[in-house]
Each structure stands twice: as C-alpha cells, then as structure tokens.
C-alpha cells in the first residue's frame, strides 16, 4: 500500500536559514513556555500588541522580527502584509500561523523544538513548585524527570511480564495481619495507615531515603509493609519485625498486654516523624515546620484564642496536632446538649431524627468558647494583671488526613470505664464551620451554614474507622477501611470480610479517619 503524505507549508523554508533553530528556541523559552517566575514577569511586561497595547486578543509574535500583534483585531495580519513576514507564533498555545496559507501549519522540525522546550519548562516549573512547597525536602519532587527504567528494572520487567490491572472489584491492598498476642491495637492502625492514599503513594514510589541502619528504621519497615500489602499475596502477613521495632522505639508499648489503639497511632506517627524528618532546617507549610511525609499528611494547626473578660484583649497561639480528641456525652466532663432534637434537621449529612449525638455536635462542643473561671485566671498583657477569661479552640490549618479520637476510655481517680454512647458520623464532612476564619460568622456558638456549595476546600471523605468491642479490661479492635469509592471491608486481624456502608455508619466508632476531597497547590 502506498501512503500519500500531505505536503507541508512551502513558506516555512524561507524561515529555515542560519540559526533558525536557536532563534525559535529563544522565542519558545521567553515568550511562549515561560517556566520561571522571572520569564513570566518578562513575558507579562513585554508581550503586548505594538499597535493597541493589549495583552489579550490572541497575541501573536512575528518569527522574523520583534513584533507582537493582536490576531483578533488583525494587527499581526497588517504587519505580515506590510513587511511580508509570513509566519507568526501564537504566544498562548505555541502554534505557528502562515498568513499566505491562512492557517496554522505543521512542520516536523518546528514541532520537535516546541515539544522539547515545553518539556524543559514543565520540568523546571514542577521543581520550582516542589521547592516552594517543601516537597523536595521529603524527596517527593527531587530532580523531577520522567521515569526511565534502569537496566536492572528492565531485566525484572522482562522476567515478570504479568501486569496487575486495578479495577473497581480489585482486592489488591487487602491483606490480613496475624495477631501476635493482644496486638489487635497495632493491626487496626496498620490497616488504616496502609490505606491512607498519599502515604501509600509515598512508600510505593520508593521515596524514603534512609540514613539509619535499615534493621532499626521504622520507616524502612513501613515501606516493606506497603510492598507486602500491595504485592497481591492473599495470605495474612506476620508483622513481627514491626512489633519488634515498636517495642524498641516506643518502650511504653512493649509487652503482650492490650494497649490503646489511639496511643499506638500517636506513638507510631511520632517515631515515623523522627525517622524521616528533614534536618536541613528548611521550613515547610505546616505548623510543625517539618517537611517529612508524616507532617505533610497528618499535621494541622489548632488555634487557641484566650479573651480577657475585662479589656477583651485576645491572646492567640497556634499548636500543631496529629489528631483531635473529642469528649462524649456520658463522660464526667460536662457536655452541652447541642443537637437540634427531633426536628429532622441535618448538618454534614448527619440526621438528628433519633436524637443521637453526632460528630458535628462533638466538634461544636470542642470549638465552643469556654469560660475558664476564677480558679484559672491568666495574666492579661493588656490589663497587666490576672483576670478571668474565655478560651476558644478553632482550626487554623486543616491537615490532609483528619483523625478524630472519640474519648471512650475514661480514667480518673474515682473511676475507670468505657463510654459506649453512640455517635453518628457522616461519610462526607465539611470542616468550614470549625475554622478560625469562620469564627466571626458564628452567633452564640452556632455557625450559620454558608450557601456556597462550590467551596470544597474544607470537605473530607471517610476512609477508615477503628472500633473497640468489649470492656476496658477485655476488648478487641477492628477496622473498617474503604478500598474504592463505595467498597468497604472489615479487617479483624487475619480475617478480611466485605462490609456495607450501613455496617460502617452503625458502628460505635473510636478513631475516625477522613481524607481531604481536594488538594491544593501552595
């Protein structure tokens, strides 16, 4: 078969003389694919129509001389006709227009130059972006380049031709964990962490650069654990190395006694943070000023405003947090009845028809102003004396993963007990009412819900729930995890079973893990 290749624009040859390639590269670098901040500023200042001074109207640049003209108002057409400069480049998309052919043209050599320069600009822009937001410090954006397999990787790919296709019914990532003797508290947290999307992406892309002895680094063990979970093996995994490292680095958890899953979560995050944190002194965009992957994902900023009752001066502090511990009705701590009652109203998708306490109620109580009383006076910087005050907590910065700890275990001098109060929690949660920025729009402690349905910055989706069954002295931990959008599974040590959304939402709830629905570049 003989294929007929359409002829290209014959007028291009008049441009292809002397250093035309270098000249074209300069135009793409400076005026089309502007990657650096300096080049963008230069483009904004210089790229205006030489006839009307406009930035817009499909601005084109002459390829033969330094002239910018509007395509819409035909100013570039006038220049081409007067100067007989037949070719111009679109400064927004990089296409080349021929005024004789009266159309955008394709030339293989020019197209290759355009792609090369666009690729260079994209690479440098991504590196700048990663540097500015601190991701390079965690190894996430280091020397951005497209992945090219090494000789060793090519060899492995040749000998392992089988590929795993991820589908909606795929169970890869689901794997049971053997209980090594009252270690369900560890297993349930491991299940939640291995199904945390960004943490999974970090470890499966081999981002951890270890500077410790590999047999003592908890991050290396977590990396290996992720490999085990997503290898496709179905047999339960035995996490003996993880348990040994936990005992080594968090000695208060050593032994075969039943431990608190929440305490293990905080200890695990602390050790992971210490083992992979960046020591070069660069600040990151979270309250810990640390760019390690743990702080990037889990750290938020809690704002505390203490207001003097005399001069109404406000003292503000912001503290980092990995989780939010919420009081429950039935505890010895006074709980304000905030539920609207049986009026059928909903907030954050939680119904009050049954009169049950909701997660939103708990968050309202957590962020409600509290009078500190005469026994807890503070020295006011305005009054220069000790005065009574009110304290209010709000969210200054939300983490990517928000973990809520429902305080079901009460330990005091008088009693030790478990609080079994049912708390309803939603599949989707909007944290906007509890932000420091929403504080001004509150009235009498109640947030007036916004009608802006397009504001998704503070919206979260549930992806893991840790539950505790039994009493304070004898109990067992299990986890519900979300595999895909609407597929949930119950992880009970070595046993993984399919669960319904109703099973998840009807469960008691001890630790609730929510993931931000939208991630913004900063």
């Amino acid at each position: 078969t003989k294929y007929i290749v359409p002829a290209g624009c014959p007028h291009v040859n008049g441009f292809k003389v002397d250093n035309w390639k270098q000249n074209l590269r300069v135009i793409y670098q400076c005026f089309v694919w502007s990657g650096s901040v300096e080049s963008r500023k230069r483009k904004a200042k210089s790229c205006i129509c030489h006839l009307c001074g406009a930035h817009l109207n499909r601005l084109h640049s002459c390829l033969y001389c330094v002239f910018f003209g509007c395509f819409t108002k035909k100013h570039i057409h006038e220049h081409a006709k007067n100067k007989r400069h037949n070719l111009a480049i679109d400064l927004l998309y990089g296409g080349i227009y021929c005024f004789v052919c009266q159309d955008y043209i394709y030339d293989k050599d020019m197209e290759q130059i355009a792609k090369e320069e666009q690729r260079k600009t994209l690479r440098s822009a991504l590196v700048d972006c990663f540097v500015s937001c601190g991701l390079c410090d965690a190894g996430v954006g280091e020397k951005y380049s497209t992945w090219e397999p090494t000789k060793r990787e090519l060899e492995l790919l040749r000998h392992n031709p089988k590929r795993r296709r991820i589908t909606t019914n795929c169970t890869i990532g689901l794997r049971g964990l053997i209980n090594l003797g009252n270690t369900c508290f560890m297993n349930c947290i491991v299940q939640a962490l291995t199904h945390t999307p960004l943490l999974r992406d970090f470890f499966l892309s081999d981002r951890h650069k270890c500077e410790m002895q590999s047999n003592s680094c908890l991050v290396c063990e977590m990396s290996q654990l992720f490999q085990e979970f997503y290898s496709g093996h179905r047999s339960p995994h035995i996490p003996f190395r993880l348990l040994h490292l936990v005992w080594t680095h968090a000695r208060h958890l050593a032994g075969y006694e039943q431990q608190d899953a929440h305490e293990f979560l905080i200890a695990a995050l602390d050790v992971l943070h210490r083992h992979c944190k960046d020591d070069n002194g660069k600040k990151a965009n979270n309250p810990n000023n640390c760019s390690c992957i743990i702080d990037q994902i889990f750290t938020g900023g809690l704002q505390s405003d203490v207001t003097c009752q005399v001069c109404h001066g406000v003292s503000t502090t912001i503290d980092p947090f990995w989780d939010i511990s919420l009081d429950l009705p039935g505890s010895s701590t006074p709980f304000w009845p905030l539920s609207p009652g049986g009026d059928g109203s909903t907030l954050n998708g939680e119904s009050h028809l049954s009169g049950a306490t909701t997660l939103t109620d708990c968050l309202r109580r957590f962020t409600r102003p509290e009078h500190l009383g005469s026994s807890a006076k503070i020295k006011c910087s305005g009054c220069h004396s000790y005065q009574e005050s009110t304290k209010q907590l709000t969210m200054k910065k939300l983490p990517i993963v928000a973990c809520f700890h429902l305080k079901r275990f009460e330990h005091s001098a008088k009693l030790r007990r478990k609080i079994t109060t049912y708390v309803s929690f939603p599949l989707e949660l909007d944290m906007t009412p509890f932000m420091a920025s929403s504080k001004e729009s509150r009235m009498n402690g109640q947030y007036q819900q916004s009608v802006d349905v397009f504001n998704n910055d503070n919206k979260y989706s549930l992806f893991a729930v840790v539950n505790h069954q039994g009493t304070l002295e004898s109990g067992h931990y299990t986890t519900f995890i979300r595999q895909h959008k609407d597929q949930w599974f119950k992880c009970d040590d070595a046993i993984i079973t399919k669960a319904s959304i109703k099973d998840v939402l009807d469960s008691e709830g001890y630790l609730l893990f929510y993931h931000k629905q939208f991630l913004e570049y900063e």
Side-chain angles (χ1 to χ4, degrees):
T1 304
K2 185 176 181 180
Y3 295 98
I4 300 174
V5 180
C9 171
H11 311 103
V12 171
N13 294 329
F15 173 73
K16 291 183 175 180
V17 293
D18 300 329
N19 295 323
W20 74 271
K21 288 186 178 181
Q22 185 57 35
N23 294 338
L24 186 60
R25 286 185 188 278
V26 171
I27 292 172
Y28 273 112
Q29 290 168 8
C30 297
F31 303 131
V32 184
W33 316 126
S34 302
S36 66
V37 175
E38 292 75 17
S39 63
R40 285 196 294 273
K41 286 180 180 177
R42 186 169 60 245
K43 178 178 178 178
K45 288 180 180 178
S46 61
C47 293
I48 58 175
C49 179
H50 286 185
L51 292 183
C52 68
H55 285 85
L56 304 175
N57 298 325
R58 291 178 63 191
L59 201 64
H60 282 57
S61 171
C62 177
L63 285 185
Y64 296 88
C65 67
V66 182
F67 180 89
F68 302 125
C70 297
F71 194 93
T72 305
K73 295 182 179 180
K74 297 193 180 298
H75 292 156
I76 190 69
H77 297 70
E78 293 174 23
H79 171 79
K81 183 179 179 181
N82 295 334
K83 297 290 184 177
R84 294 190 178 181
H85 292 171
N86 299 328
L87 301 178
I89 186 169
D90 181 348
L91 295 186
L92 184 59
Y93 299 107
I96 294 174
Y97 189 87
C98 175
F99 292 96
V100 179
C101 298
Q102 296 184 8
D103 200 359
Y104 288 96
I105 63 170
Y106 172 82
D107 180 82
K108 185 178 179 182
D109 298 330
M110 288 181 164
E111 186 73 11
Q112 183 64 29
I113 291 171
K115 286 182 177 179
E116 288 174 3
E117 294 305 321
Q118 187 179 29
R119 197 176 296 122
K120 285 181 193 175
T121 302
L122 178 62
R123 188 178 298 133
S124 64
L126 280 170
V127 170
D128 289 344
C129 171
F130 283 134
V131 169
S132 65
C133 69
L135 287 173
C136 276
D137 302 331
V140 176
E142 235 172 85
K143 295 180 181 177
Y144 171 80
S145 60
T146 54
W147 176 69
E148 296 292 341
T150 62
K151 288 183 179 180
R152 170 66 178 154
E153 287 169 337
L154 284 171
E155 196 66 27
L156 287 170
L157 287 169
R158 282 193 206 101
H159 287 89
N160 296 276
K162 186 178 179 182
R163 300 288 178 268
R164 298 191 182 277
R165 186 165 173 238
I166 305 299
T167 63
T168 53
N169 295 320
C170 181
T171 57
I172 189 169
L174 293 173
R175 195 167 182 187
L177 290 165
I178 297 293
N179 192 317
L180 300 174
N182 283 330
T183 58
C184 58
F185 71 93
M186 177 181 76
N187 290 350
C188 69
I189 298 300
V190 168
Q191 292 288 0
L193 292 179
T194 50
H195 288 87
T196 301
L198 287 183
L199 199 63
R200 174 197 63 204
D201 295 346
F202 176 83
F203 282 113
L204 291 183
S205 56
D206 197 24
R207 294 297 187 188
H208 174 53
K209 306 292 188 293
C210 188
E211 296 180 0
M212 299 176 61
Q213 292 181 354
S214 60
N215 58 358
S216 65
C217 177
L218 186 65
V219 189
C220 288
E221 179 54 34
M222 281 298 293
S223 182
Q224 182 61 37
L225 199 64
F226 273 88
Q227 300 290 338
E228 291 286 348
F229 262 71
Y230 291 90
S231 64
H233 296 308
R234 292 178 174 271
S235 59
H237 179 65
I238 307 172
F240 65 93
R241 286 192 302 270
L242 178 65
L243 183 64
H244 170 71
L245 287 174
V246 169
W247 286 1
T248 302
H249 297 293
R251 294 190 177 278
H252 63 289
L253 296 175
Y256 287 101
E257 296 82 13
Q258 178 65 274
Q259 303 288 349
D260 182 12
H262 173 248
E263 190 176 0
F264 175 80
L265 170 67
I266 299 304
L269 292 179
D270 179 58
V271 176
L272 288 168
H273 158 72
R274 284 190 278 117
H275 284 195
C276 68
K277 71 178 181 179
D278 177 40
D279 294 321
N280 64 12
K282 289 185 179 178
K283 290 187 176 182
N285 191 20
N286 63 60
N288 260 0
N289 289 329
C290 175
S291 59
C292 81
I293 191 64
I294 298 301
D295 281 308
Q296 285 185 56
I297 296 174
F298 293 96
T299 298
L302 189 65
Q303 179 169 316
S304 173
D305 294 318
V306 179
T307 306
C308 175
Q309 294 293 87
V310 177
C311 70
H312 301 291
V314 181
S315 173
T316 300
T317 56
I318 298 172
D319 298 307
F321 69 87
W322 278 332
D323 73 315
I324 300 166
S325 293
L326 301 171
D327 288 315
L328 301 179
S331 68
S332 57
T333 305
F335 188 89
W336 298 303
L338 297 174
S339 293
D343 61 357
S345 63
T346 61
L347 178 61
N348 267 324
E350 299 165 309
S351 174
H352 292 85
L353 282 169
S354 63
T357 302
T358 69
L359 177 62
T360 301
D361 290 337
C362 297
L363 285 166
R364 279 176 173 169
R365 187 221 183 279
F366 182 78
T367 56
R368 192 167 182 172
E370 176 187 1
H371 186 68
L372 296 181
S374 57
S375 60
K377 290 183 177 181
I378 60 158
K379 189 170 184 178
C380 175
S381 58
C383 301
H384 301 291
S385 60
Y386 286 91
Q387 304 290 351
E388 290 190 24
S389 58
T390 59
K391 178 181 179 181
Q392 184 173 13
L393 299 174
T394 50
M395 308 296 159
K396 178 64 176 176
K397 179 175 175 57
L398 292 172
I400 292 174
V401 169
C403 175
F404 300 105
H405 165 226
L406 304 183
K407 294 161 73 171
R408 296 199 174 277
F409 303 129
E410 192 168 56
H411 302 273
S412 65
K414 294 182 179 179
L415 75 163
R416 294 176 69 253
R417 61 176 181 144
K418 179 185 175 185
I419 300 167
T420 58
T421 306
Y422 173 70
V423 176
S424 72
F425 47 90
L427 286 172
E428 295 188 346
L429 176 69
D430 187 357
M431 288 292 289
T432 304
F434 315 108
M435 296 293 292
S437 56
S438 301
K439 186 180 175 184
E440 298 299 323
S441 61
R442 290 178 185 227
M443 297 177 66
N444 299 322
Q446 298 295 319
Y447 175 74
Q448 304 302 305
Q449 196 169 18
S450 170
V451 295
D452 184 7
V453 295
F454 297 105
N455 182 14
N456 296 313
D457 292 346
N458 306 321
K459 291 184 178 177
Y460 285 79
S461 294
L462 185 72
F463 73 92
V465 178
V466 172
N467 283 291
H468 179 271
Q469 291 89 35
T471 63
L472 197 64
E473 291 75 21
S474 176
H476 181 62
Y477 288 103
T478 59
T479 309
F480 286 109
I481 57 96
R482 189 183 68 187
Q483 174 75 347
H484 296 289
K485 182 174 174 59
D486 294 318
Q487 290 193 28
W488 287 85
F489 291 86
K490 183 179 181 180
C491 304
D492 185 350
D493 287 333
I495 302 170
I496 308 287
T497 53
K498 191 82 182 285
S500 67
I501 292 176
K502 187 177 186 301
D503 294 333
V504 178
L505 298 181
D506 286 349
S507 66
E508 192 175 79
Y510 179 50
L511 299 174
L512 311 175
F513 292 84
Y514 285 85
H515 198 288
K516 256 192 174 183
Q517 291 182 0
F518 297 90
L519 301 182
E520 65 279 355
Y521 288 103
E522 297 172 339

